[in-house]
Amino acid sequence: MKLLTGYLLLQTAGLATALPPKLEDFKQKAIDSGVALKALNGIALAKALTKFSGTCTPSKVKYRREWRTISKPDRRKFIAAVKCIMAKPSTLPPEEVPGAKSLYDDIVWAHARRSGLVHNSGTFLLFHRYYLHTYETELSACGWTAGLPYWEWGLDITGPHLSPIFDGSDTSLGGDGEFIPNRPPFSIPWIDPLTPEIIIPPGTGGGCVKTGPFVHHKVRLGPFNMTETFPVEPEDGRGDNERCLIRDLNKGGIERWASFRNSTELILGSGDIFEFHVNAVSASDWIERKGIRDGWIGFIGFGRCWIWRVGDVFGTGTWLNIPPSPNVTVEDSIDVLPHQPPRKLKELMSTVAGSPFCFVYV
């Protein structure tokens, strides 16, 4: 049924016999409405379902689904699993990260400790693939055995606060933060002095989340001053800095960089891993033209990167090569300690090869 659906989507876009497609193969309406992106996902899915190997089999594969396609009872199960992670104790040494009180804090730290190395580096895409797998594994231990849900942000670029994932109901991940007026624009600085900082107007929240299942959740770690810690783990932000969950849903970023057209152009307009990597992580002058990642900041998912098959790596082992470091190769390793062991990058290329991955996006 899933393969048939993918084929029908290809027929709708006029691509049932033209694989792989090019951007010019799609009509503008198909690109802007998301039909083209669905067709591309159908192609990726069809290819993935013929490449099972190792411990990954059709009966074991996890299907990562868009939030809207998950039933409300199942959304509640997912939320319960997240709360389960939040209730489990931290496994980190207290002297190392004293603010980590829960397993959820551990997962936050697993990302923060590597931020100065993996972002804008050759391990960016595969680290985050491994990181999301780590979260998915912990959710499974808490009763959520399906794939990690994702958000198709292209459907909500004009109003993310209206999305069912943020509508504040008991089947959402909570509502927007309390609106705080007269706030200054949000600035995203860059270490590269030749790249201007990104300015985004304030969104529709800014304060503590007041509705939904995570109203009482307390954030403990951070903030982390990443710009002063490259390439080592951040020293600040490790303590117990208890505060409310703050959210400021903002259409400025996703409307500007993460529309269906942006995502489709990212996938079809990248001829090799160099182009894809540069476009995806918004480096240098690509920010205004095809940058996509900065539309994701504060949001959910790296789902679109699975369509563009990662078959190689590009870049060095440090943020913007600061300080200078060797080029990354597929023999290099990354980890999500202490919850996942080191893995060579070549082990993380396929999502259906088993050891460790067995998932697809639908």
Side-chain angles (χ1 to χ4, degrees), residues 115-131:
S115 287
L117 291 172
V118 301
H119 292 96
N120 288 293
S121 81
T123 60
F124 173 75
L125 296 174
L126 292 177
F127 170 81
H128 286 91
R129 175 177 285 181
Y130 198 24
Y131 179 72

Side-chain angles (χ1 to χ4, degrees), residues 43 253 326:
I43 295 170

Side-chain angles (χ1 to χ4, degrees), residues 97-163:
V97 191
K101 305 299 182 183
S102 70
L103 178 58
Y104 194 88
D105 293 332
D106 290 3
I107 294 174
V108 171
W109 174 247
H111 186 268
R113 69 182 288 265
R114 289 298 190 201
S115 287
L117 291 172
V118 301
H119 292 96
N120 288 293
S121 81
T123 60
F124 173 75
L125 296 174
L126 292 177
F127 170 81
H128 286 91
R129 175 177 285 181
Y130 198 24
Y131 179 72
L132 290 179
H133 166 75
T134 302
Y135 187 40
E136 189 174 62
T137 301
E138 298 299 343
L139 287 167
S140 181
C142 276
W144 178 258
T145 56
L148 184 67
Y150 70 93
W151 176 33
E152 177 52 89
W153 55 79
L155 294 170
D156 297 310
I157 60 173
T158 60
H161 61 293
L162 303 175
S163 170

Side-chain angles (χ1 to χ4, degrees), residues 123-282:
T123 60
F124 173 75
L125 296 174
L126 292 177
F127 170 81
H128 286 91
R129 175 177 285 181
Y130 198 24
Y131 179 72
L132 290 179
H133 166 75
T134 302
Y135 187 40
E136 189 174 62
T137 301
E138 298 299 343
L139 287 167
S140 181
C142 276
W144 178 258
T145 56
L148 184 67
Y150 70 93
W151 176 33
E152 177 52 89
W153 55 79
L155 294 170
D156 297 310
I157 60 173
T158 60
H161 61 293
L162 303 175
S163 170
I165 202 169
F166 295 125
D167 64 12
S169 67
D170 69 335
T171 59
S172 73
L173 298 187
D176 203 350
E178 184 177 10
F179 179 66
I180 298 178
N182 304 316
R183 288 174 294 133
F186 178 65
S187 173
I188 305 175
W190 286 84
I191 292 181
D192 181 359
L194 299 179
T195 303
E197 62 181 3
I198 303 169
I199 305 297
I200 300 177
T204 52
C208 299
V209 170
K210 296 296 185 183
T211 57
F214 301 101
V215 167
H216 301 296
H217 174 62
K218 297 299 181 182
V219 177
R220 295 183 179 277
L221 298 178
F224 303 103
N225 188 352
M226 299 300 180
T227 60
E228 296 181 359
T229 61
F230 300 128
V232 299
E233 297 177 3
E235 291 296 332
D236 58 347
R238 299 186 186 209
D240 189 354
N241 181 21
E242 184 177 314
R243 57 207 186 276
C244 70
L245 174 63
I246 294 175
R247 185 174 287 160
D248 186 21
L249 297 178
N250 193 325
K251 72 173 186 177
I254 58 173
E255 190 172 40
R256 186 172 172 185
W257 294 303
S259 67
F260 283 128
R261 174 164 288 276
N262 289 127
S263 297
T264 306
E265 288 182 346
L266 166 68
I267 295 164
L268 295 182
S270 302
D272 55 28
I273 186 62
F274 167 76
E275 282 190 76
F276 182 81
H277 182 91
V278 170
N279 295 354
V281 303
S282 302

